Amino acid sequence: MATTVYLSNPALTINAVNLTDQATSAVLSYVYEQLETTAFGDTARKFGGSAVTSLQNNTFEVTLYQSYAASETEATIYGLVGIQTTITVSPTAAGLVTPSATEPKYTLTGCYLESHTPINASLGELSTITLTFAGGALTKAVA
Amino acid sequence: MAKYIVTSDRFANCKRGDILDGDDLDAAGVNVDVLIDSGHISTYAPKKPAKTKDTETDKD
């Protein structure tokens, strides 16, 4: 059986700004809320169905090295708190530019950044920030 | 129609100096004001070329 092993090295943009070289972790969760459609006569619980479309409830969590230099992490992120923006992420850098079936590009449009920690400092450690973008509609591009 | 010039090396799929259309940015769902404040783009307002006088043909 053929298998592939994927060494995680994704690329991402936040508000169209490429912060790949500041990122150390990225988790995109694609969620449709689970709506129960069980009715009398059923013998087991059911969820969803052909006539039931629930809401997406997606999240994107990313960890970035903090940087206060011009056009870097802090400058890019600070203004995004409390508003909607768009995230793109792909398993590879090439996938962001020319997505394909093996290098898909995921776009989370209209996601919301609730909070940000401008200062997250510990003695002797590189400062990092973890951001959670919530909501938005997810699309997957393969061409 | 507003136009913007890329002023950082981090703007996705663009290089510094590229001109972007505001409608395209809106359609992409990005926040233009934040991009301006964070120094990635700035408003593009090309200046009209200065009028030049042809001093050769004006000679008697």
Side-chain angles (χ1 to χ4, degrees):
Chain A
M1 182 175 70
T3 61
T4 60
V5 176
Y6 164 59
L7 177 63
S8 62
N9 190 22
L12 60 96
T13 68
I14 299 173
N15 200 38
V17 177
N18 194 319
L19 291 172
T20 303
D21 64 352
Q22 299 282 24
T24 61
S25 169
V27 180
L28 177 63
S29 297
Y30 178 41
V31 176
Y32 268 94
E33 291 177 343
Q34 182 174 288
L35 295 180
E36 181 162 4
T37 53
T38 314
F40 290 142
D42 286 333
T43 57
R45 291 201 179 276
K46 295 189 304 187
F47 297 92
S50 60
V52 177
T53 304
S54 59
L55 296 174
Q56 289 188 36
N57 190 8
N58 308 305
T59 58
F60 179 70
E61 185 173 301
V62 62
T63 302
L64 304 167
Y65 286 116
Q66 179 60 291
S67 171
Y68 300 96
S71 303
E72 292 289 343
T73 306
E74 177 64 9
T76 303
I77 299 300
Y78 187 82
L80 295 177
V81 178
I83 63 172
Q84 294 181 358
T85 189
T86 295
I87 304 290
T88 61
V89 59
S90 174
T92 66
L96 278 187
V97 182
T98 52
S100 65
T102 56
E103 295 174 314
K105 180 173 83 170
Y106 300 91
T107 302
L108 187 57
T109 305
C111 55
Y112 178 82
L113 180 62
E114 180 185 36
S115 64
H116 162 49
T117 49
I119 301 288
N120 182 22
S122 294
L123 183 65
E125 294 181 3
L126 290 176
S127 178
T128 62
I129 59 171
T130 298
L131 306 171
T132 301
F133 294 86
L138 185 69
T139 55
K140 178 182 179 181
V142 294
Chain B
M1 184 186 309
K3 291 198 177 295
Y4 301 93
I5 185 168
V6 176
T7 55
S8 86
D9 297 320
R10 287 196 173 274
F11 201 88
N13 304 329
C14 293
K15 59 182 184 298
R16 194 183 287 257
D18 283 356
I19 307 299
L20 306 173
D21 192 288
D23 290 341
D24 292 340
L25 292 173
D26 289 340
V30 300
N31 190 293
V32 172
D33 292 338
V34 173
L35 287 172
I36 293 172
D37 289 344
S38 55
H40 295 291
I41 62 173
S42 63
T43 304
Y44 178 65
K47 294 176 182 173
K48 291 181 180 178
K51 284 186 179 177
T52 56
K53 187 175 182 180
D54 189 344
T55 54
E56 292 296 320
T57 55
D58 285 350
K59 285 182 180 176
D60 291 332

